[in-house]
Amino acid sequence: MTAPGYPPPLRPRRRWLTAIVVALLIAIPAGYLALSAHQSRDSGKNKQTIASATGLMWHWPRKVTRRVFEVPIPPGSTYVGYYEANSWDTSSLYVQFRTSPEQLETFLGSLGTSPGELSSQAPGVTGREADAVGWDLDHPGRHYVHTTVDLPGLRPRVAVTVDMSKPERPQVYVVSTVTF
């Protein structure tokens, strides 16, 4: 409280506090903008790399891609490669991986089939599909078994060919095709 006839006391200005607030109000949005632009640019490069692929890319396909094409690659699989091909009326996902016999059984079970359904006489990945990514599924001395699963409704057709030449680590070739 001030005495009558005296002006109120002056409060010293806090210029340093004002400078910090202004700097933060500018720096935080600018930093967010720069980070967002960098991430957006990287995203475009990744999509461009995937779209321009002409053969297998040696890493796991994105989860959303695996879900759309219903190719549940078992955990612990190695030598995973994939290629996605799209056209007006069909889209296909080509996947190759090496896994254990137990995981192969789990993989086939998730497709609604079993290792007992695999047969050297059954249809599987076709020669034309194999040629699209450079797979040699007629290699002499190899033991290939196949199956094809037509999932009900508007779901993909999944062709599976398994190289059982090394039964302890089977090599799996999958082509999942969605028709529009």
Side-chain angles (χ1 to χ4, degrees), residues 45-56:
K45 286 180 183 177
N46 291 343
K47 288 177 184 173
Q48 182 180 5
T49 301
I50 291 169
S52 66
T54 57
L56 287 176

Side-chain angles (χ1 to χ4, degrees), residues 50 52-57 81-86 92-95 132-133:
I50 291 169
S52 66
T54 57
L56 287 176
M57 295 177 45
Y82 80 98
Y83 172 69
E84 187 175 349
N86 299 304
S92 297
L93 178 67
Y94 300 76
V95 180
V133 289

Side-chain angles (χ1 to χ4, degrees), residues 112-174:
T113 188
S114 67
E117 297 290 320
L118 293 171
S119 164
S120 58
Q121 304 303 317
V125 176
T126 66
R128 191 172 128 249
E129 291 170 333
D131 290 343
V133 289
W135 290 335
D136 180 12
L137 301 180
D138 295 328
H139 196 273
R142 301 268 182 182
H143 176 60
Y144 295 102
V145 290
H146 323 273
T147 192
T148 300
V149 180
D150 286 312
L151 298 170
L154 298 173
R155 295 170 61 198
R157 170 194 165 273
V158 183
V160 180
T161 294
V162 182
D163 180 358
M164 297 297 288
S165 300
K166 291 183 180 177
E168 70 281 357
R169 289 296 281 174
Q171 180 76 31
V172 182
Y173 302 91
V174 181

Side-chain angles (χ1 to χ4, degrees), residues 60 73-78 98-100 103 169:
W60 287 62
I73 303 171
S77 296
T78 57
R98 187 173 293 278
T99 192
S100 68
Q103 292 290 27
R169 289 296 281 174

Side-chain angles (χ1 to χ4, degrees), residues 59-121:
H59 51 84
W60 287 62
R62 295 178 308 184
K63 277 188 180 181
V64 69
T65 303
R66 287 181 274 163
R67 284 187 189 135
V68 167
F69 288 97
E70 299 193 38
V71 179
I73 303 171
S77 296
T78 57
Y79 302 104
V80 178
Y82 80 98
Y83 172 69
E84 187 175 349
N86 299 304
S87 68
W88 289 105
D89 57 348
T90 61
S91 290
S92 297
L93 178 67
Y94 300 76
V95 180
Q96 168 183 335
F97 58 91
R98 187 173 293 278
T99 192
S100 68
E102 296 82 18
Q103 292 290 27
L104 175 62
E105 185 173 347
T106 302
F107 169 73
L108 292 171
S110 67
L111 293 176
T113 188
S114 67
E117 297 290 320
L118 293 171
S119 164
S120 58
Q121 304 303 317

Side-chain angles (χ1 to χ4, degrees), residues 17-33:
L17 182 60
T18 304
I20 289 174
V21 168
V22 169
L24 288 176
L25 286 173
I26 293 170
I28 289 175
Y32 175 77
L33 223 61

